[in-house]
Amino acid sequence: MLKSLQIDPEKCTGCLQCELACSYENEGVFNPSKSRIKVFNFHEQGRMVPYTCTQCDDAWCMSACPVDAISVDAETGAKVVSDAACVGCKVCTIACPFGTINYNASSGKVIKCDLCGGDPKCVSACPTDAITYVDANWTGIDKMRNWAAKTDSGSQAEA
Amino acid sequence: MAWARNILRVNLTKGTCANEPLNMDWAQKYLGQRGLATKYLVEETDPKVDPLSPDNKMIMATGPLTGTCASTAGRYSVITKGALTGAIACSNSGGYFGNEMKNAGYDMIIIEGKSKKPVYLFIEDDKAELLDASAYWGTSCWDTEEGIKAKHQDPQIRVASIGISGEVGVKFACIVNDMHRAAGRSGVGTVMGSKNLKAVAIRGSLGVKVNDPEKFFAATAAGKAVLSENPVTGQGLPAFGTQVLMNVINESGALPTRNSTEVQFEGANSISAEAMAEARQGDGKANLLTTAACFGCTIGCGRISTVERSHYTVAERPEYQIASGGLEYEAAWALGAATGVDDINALTFANFICNEQGFDPISFGATVGAAMEMYETGVISDKETGGIELKFGSAKALTDLAELTGKGEGFGAEIGLGSKRLCEKYGKPELSMAVKGQEFPAYDSRSIQGMGLTYATSNRGACHLRSYTVSSEILGIPEKTDPTASEGKAGLVMAFQDATGAVDSSGLCLFTTFAWSLDDIAPQIDAACEGDWTAERLVEVGERVWNLERMYNIRAGFTGADDTLPKRLLKDAAKTGPAEGKVNELGKMLPEYYELRGWTADGVPSNETLERVAL
């Protein structure tokens, strides 16, 4: 079963445990500035929003890469950058509409979420389940369930 | 490992920034943050120095765990001689700034001297420079933070700054980072202002390593599980924030009300966590918008709130129709119960102004409470207040004074003196509810006996965060003691003080200790740091830090006579509640405390004690 990251900003407290886990997994140090997932804090609105690559099927970054450095991980569906092939031209960072693939000046390569090979560390690090890893075909199941519950209680109340 | 092993030394007089290695022998003795920075301050400055002189130094310090994935490990502290107190000051803050400092490769930033003109310190990893701050001088913490991010075209910069209050010498000015987290007490922001340093702005990308990653992940995961399963850190604080305490403390008859003339506030429920979550009459929304965690925190006690748009404070001012941090319990008490104001929108607005202009809501609210008592008893009048009708319960007086104090204008400049100086000025020193010049927080020591000893002996002046015996006396953590009894409290206070000294030196948040003992914390430090770190060794560090701070204060001129409480708490009994008829029994607790500490009857650490704690 293909899975995908599911982000629920309402549950995010802005603790950045996801960024810590991501940077450690990928860089071997705690370094949020090198995290593939970022939490944005909209202070005046009191909103915290985690954001990362959604692993597009027809991925702009992959199409744009002139050296075919980005490929699909058959098991997870993640678009994965090959450091050996990447020349650091940054064309993918221009092509991506969401900004979720970025250049890393210290390595001279681009970095993006690769779903940690199917065990996303941001998910296990999140203390509030704001980031989950769920059936890609049913990313809406929780919202459906919540609305179904409301719809049902509404009809009972009327009856 | 864990430590960056690197200090940035900034001399504002000379305009220089230089790196130097961290003294690792001291790191093994004092751990980091509060303990280690205090050691540096003690070694490098004269305790008799005027806090606002260029010869006073200000140290921003992280702990070894700061920037790691341990829960709550994003803390930094500011250590200096306090402008409010003239005692050792150590104010601890969360948010994201501490992690950024550590990720830029610094355990500490030592700031010396005084700049000729306003500057800000800008750090990108190993590059540090002093830049002209004239564009930000005279503006708020909010405008400064946003302005610096815009100027450098980098929204990921973290900023710690002072507001106008810190520039104009309000004695209890804070250093505010990340818009609403603050190194809040004792006037550390006032010291920063006296140095013409407007802000420290950091972008860090070097990363933080730990000594034994496998052990560290196991220890921190175990710690996080303990926090999430604990009723206080797993349920109470995430759901209600620190404000969960308002009704609890009021029912315990321990909510200092109207400048401590009473111990219960009839309006407590209106300013509680429950009130913050209630739908407002006007717009049907709650003041509480969402919860917010500091860096790395899996508890998430922070509150983000709004003021109702039709409220008089913001109705005509769209710039305040936004969300910001608060209310936290201590602020809600000081702005509310201490002044008798029960209008939650007024409290939230006053708290916004504290965030915006960078001043401590505890000292501010408590000083307004003292001024209100002087006004009501005819000591001061409209002439002194500039026409502000300063009656207990007046929301308008509170919010007007918040705005005036934020800018050091009108009667706000007098409030900015703090209650000790203000009450002395008008010949009523006994009306200042303070110890060593610092206003005490939200627990009445007639009803929670241990807190009286806590305030009296706190090295930074009255403070709940040096030995939070409320945990034991009210909440029963780690075990319940009778809040109205003074027996056994000397030992309890000492144990809390020593444990707290270690936690404050680690990079962790003290709030973890509702669930964690040092046995939970030691394995995390042990895995992260070189050396063998046990709970016993952490207690030793805590005791060493406590005695080091004590010796600083003694050399600064404080004596055992300063370990006291306002007369009101020692003479005027609680009028209502479970402790009705009780005063604080400091006289019984203090000699026992000195003895347990190994101090003389005058409160001076004996030579044997100093030797025992390796000072």
Side-chain angles (χ1 to χ4, degrees):
Chain A
M1 179 180 69
L2 199 67
K3 294 172 93 174
S4 72
L5 286 178
Q6 171 80 342
I7 290 173
D8 183 350
E10 293 247 314
K11 291 181 180 169
C12 178
T13 62
C15 76
L16 309 195
Q17 282 285 347
C18 54
E19 296 191 17
L20 283 160
C22 178
S23 62
Y24 197 88
E25 173 71 10
N26 290 290
E27 305 288 330
V29 288
F30 297 111
N31 188 349
S33 76
K34 300 271 166 61
S35 173
R36 278 78 168 151
I37 185 166
K38 297 298 289 179
V39 178
F40 294 89
N41 195 327
F42 301 97
H43 172 75
E44 294 192 355
Q45 300 152 25
R47 287 197 305 139
M48 273 76 72
V49 185
Y51 203 73
T52 190
C53 175
T54 54
Q55 316 294 348
C56 313
D57 256 20
D58 195 357
W60 280 270
C61 60
M62 198 161 66
S63 309
C65 180
V67 295
D68 292 334
I70 302 174
S71 59
V72 184
D73 178 325
E75 244 176 69
T76 64
K79 310 303 170 294
V80 181
V81 179
S82 159
D83 275 0
C86 175
V87 295
C89 73
K90 314 179 196 68
V91 169
C92 56
T93 68
I94 298 167
C96 173
F98 307 107
T100 53
I101 185 163
N102 285 282
Y103 179 64
N104 180 356
S106 52
S107 67
K109 314 287 179 186
V110 294
I111 57 177
K112 71 179 288 301
C113 170
D114 62 1
L115 296 174
C116 298
D119 178 19
K121 295 296 185 274
C122 54
V123 172
S124 39
C126 179
T128 60
D129 292 333
I131 312 166
T132 49
Y133 193 48
V134 299
D135 183 347
N137 295 313
W138 283 103
T139 53
I141 195 89
D142 282 343
K143 281 185 201 164
M144 282 176 79
R145 184 187 296 111
N146 288 341
W147 282 106
K150 282 183 195 175
T151 306
D152 185 46
S153 66
S155 63
Q156 279 183 349
E158 274 174 36
Chain B
M1 291 291 178
W3 293 284
R5 295 171 170 259
N6 190 27
I7 292 176
L8 177 65
R9 188 176 291 274
V10 178
N11 189 304
L12 293 166
T13 308
K14 296 178 190 161
T16 55
C17 301
N19 285 5
E20 67 183 55
L22 184 73
N23 184 324
M24 291 308 295
D25 291 337
W26 290 356
Q28 287 290 332
K29 272 180 83 176
Y30 299 95
L31 193 55
Q33 206 175 349
R34 174 175 162 192
L36 190 53
T38 303
K39 175 65 176 170
Y40 272 85
L41 191 77
V42 164
E43 293 293 327
E44 296 189 8
T45 62
D46 177 359
K48 290 200 162 32
V49 71
D50 175 349
L52 304 183
S53 134
D55 293 332
N56 188 17
K57 297 189 186 187
M58 183 191 114
I59 305 176
M60 295 175 130
T62 62
L65 294 187
T66 304
T68 71
C69 73
S71 185
T72 77
R75 314 295 300 188
Y76 79 100
S77 292
V78 180
I79 291 86
T80 186
K81 186 172 186 179
L84 181 69
T85 55
I88 186 84
C90 171
S91 294
N92 182 309
S93 182
Y96 305 102
F97 181 85
N99 166 65
E100 208 67 23
M101 182 174 150
K102 190 69 169 291
N103 254 282
Y106 302 102
D107 296 300
M108 285 189 207
I109 303 171
I110 301 180
I111 293 160
E112 314 172 338
K114 176 181 179 175
S115 174
K116 282 195 191 71
K117 54 177 189 152
V119 290
Y120 68 102
L121 174 62
F122 182 62
I123 299 170
E124 281 179 313
D125 293 340
D126 50 0
K127 191 182 97 184
E129 55 188 338
L130 292 165
L131 300 175
D132 176 27
S134 52
Y136 312 117
W137 201 257
T139 72
S140 69
C141 299
W142 292 353
D143 289 341
T144 300
E145 181 167 336
E146 285 172 351
I148 289 175
K149 287 178 178 180
K151 180 186 162 188
H152 293 276
Q153 298 184 316
D154 187 352
Q156 300 193 67
I157 292 169
R158 305 292 188 185
V159 179
S161 68
I162 56 166
I164 297 175
S165 72
E167 298 173 11
V168 300
V170 166
K171 295 285 185 195
F172 45 79
C174 310
I175 299 170
V176 173
N177 55 280
D178 304 294
M179 305 300 271
H180 63 98
R181 309 302 316 187
R185 302 222 68 195
S186 315
V188 297
T190 322
V191 172
M192 186 158 156
S194 76
K195 297 186 172 307
N196 271 333
L197 180 64
K198 180 67 179 174
V200 178
I202 307 184
R203 183 69 200 286
S205 68
L206 299 178
V208 177
K209 291 180 183 163
V210 291
N211 196 34
D212 186 335
E214 204 172 316
K215 261 172 76 180
F216 187 68
F217 280 113
T220 53
K224 286 170 189 171
V226 171
L227 292 178
S228 75
E229 284 155 20
N230 180 278
V232 176
T233 53
Q235 293 161 26
L237 285 174
F240 299 106
T242 52
Q243 274 272 64
V244 69
L245 286 166
M246 183 63 74
N247 283 321
V248 174
I249 300 296
N250 192 45
E251 281 156 25
S252 305
L255 195 68
T257 300
R258 287 179 279 271
N259 205 34
S260 299
T261 53
E262 291 157 80
V263 297
Q264 288 182 307
F265 181 39
E266 68 286 355
N269 195 50
S270 307
I271 62 170
S272 65
E274 292 80 351
M276 285 172 73
E278 246 169 46
R280 300 183 288 227
Q281 283 191 339
D283 62 4
K285 294 178 184 164
N287 268 42
L288 177 65
L289 188 61
T290 188
T291 65
C294 293
F295 178 89
C297 176
T298 57
I299 303 171
C301 74
R303 307 288 101 174
I304 304 289
S305 301
T306 60
V307 179
E308 184 161 15
R309 286 189 179 184
S310 58
H311 192 257
Y312 74 89
T313 50
V314 303
E316 308 290 324
R317 302 166 80 185
E319 67 271 29
Y320 292 109
Q321 294 174 2
I322 55 164
S324 186
L327 290 164
E328 314 299 341
Y329 170 63
E330 307 296 332
W333 161 77
L335 301 170
T339 64
V341 175
D342 65 1
D343 173 349
I344 196 162
N345 281 304
L347 268 51
T348 305
F349 177 77
N351 197 66
F352 278 17
I353 302 298
C354 291
N355 294 341
E356 184 190 27
Q357 293 300 358
F359 57 101
D360 172 16
I362 301 180
S363 283
F364 167 72
T367 303
V368 171
M372 284 172 163
E373 185 170 355
M374 290 199 287
Y375 184 89
E376 294 221 347
T377 53
V379 179
I380 57 173
S381 66
D382 288 351
K383 198 175 120 232
E384 284 80 17
T385 66
I388 295 174
E389 202 182 354
L390 200 50
K391 288 186 172 165
F392 279 124
S394 169
K396 188 74 172 56
L398 175 76
T399 54
D400 283 353
L401 281 175
E403 299 208 63
L404 288 169
T405 304
K407 296 182 176 170
E409 293 170 353
F411 192 64
E414 300 218 348
I415 295 292
L417 294 170
S419 68
K420 178 173 185 280
R421 291 173 176 84
L422 181 73
C423 293
E424 280 172 355
K425 178 174 176 178
Y426 293 107
K428 292 283 173 188
E430 70 278 11
L431 296 187
S432 165
M433 296 300 122
V435 177
K436 300 184 180 76
Q438 179 157 288
E439 292 72 18
F440 56 69
Y443 313 89
D444 198 294
S445 60
R446 288 166 288 205
S447 322
I448 308 179
Q449 290 288 324
M451 290 309 282
L453 186 61
T454 286
Y455 297 156
T457 59
S458 165
N459 288 325
R460 72 167 184 174
C463 172
H464 56 300
L465 296 171
R466 288 298 173 270
S467 43
Y468 193 72
T469 59
V470 175
S471 258
S472 165
E473 298 182 85
I474 301 294
L475 305 174
I477 302 168
E479 52 196 34
K480 186 83 173 76
T481 52
D482 177 0
T484 63
S486 58
E487 293 78 23
K489 295 299 162 64
L492 187 73
V493 166
M494 187 172 87
F496 271 78
Q497 285 172 340
D498 292 348
T500 301
V503 175
D504 284 348
S505 302
S506 69
L508 299 172
C509 176
L510 188 60
F511 286 8
T512 56
T513 58
F514 285 117
W516 287 351
S517 72
L518 291 180
D519 288 326
D520 297 292
I521 292 171
Q524 303 185 53
I525 296 176
D526 187 56
C529 301
E530 290 95 337
D532 294 318
W533 293 92
T534 59
E536 294 71 32
R537 187 169 167 202
L538 290 175
V539 172
E540 285 170 23
V541 168
E543 187 183 12
R544 185 175 300 132
V545 172
W546 193 259
N547 280 280
L548 182 69
E549 292 173 338
R550 179 76 179 183
M551 289 308 296
Y552 179 97
N553 282 351
I554 287 170
R555 290 177 184 135
F558 288 92
T559 69
D562 296 297
D563 296 340
T564 188
L565 293 170
K567 276 195 195 114
R568 179 163 286 170
L569 302 173
L570 301 171
K571 306 276 185 211
D572 302 347
K575 293 173 191 160
T576 60
E580 188 180 340
K582 298 276 293 188
V583 294
N584 186 269
E585 297 172 355
L586 182 66
K588 288 187 190 167
M589 296 182 281
L590 194 61
E592 187 191 352
Y593 171 84
Y594 283 171
E595 201 180 327
L596 287 172
R597 276 268 172 231
W599 296 354
T600 67
D602 298 326
V604 180
S606 68
N607 287 336
E608 299 84 72
T609 298
L610 292 176
E611 209 165 294
R612 182 170 54 77
V613 300
L615 279 177

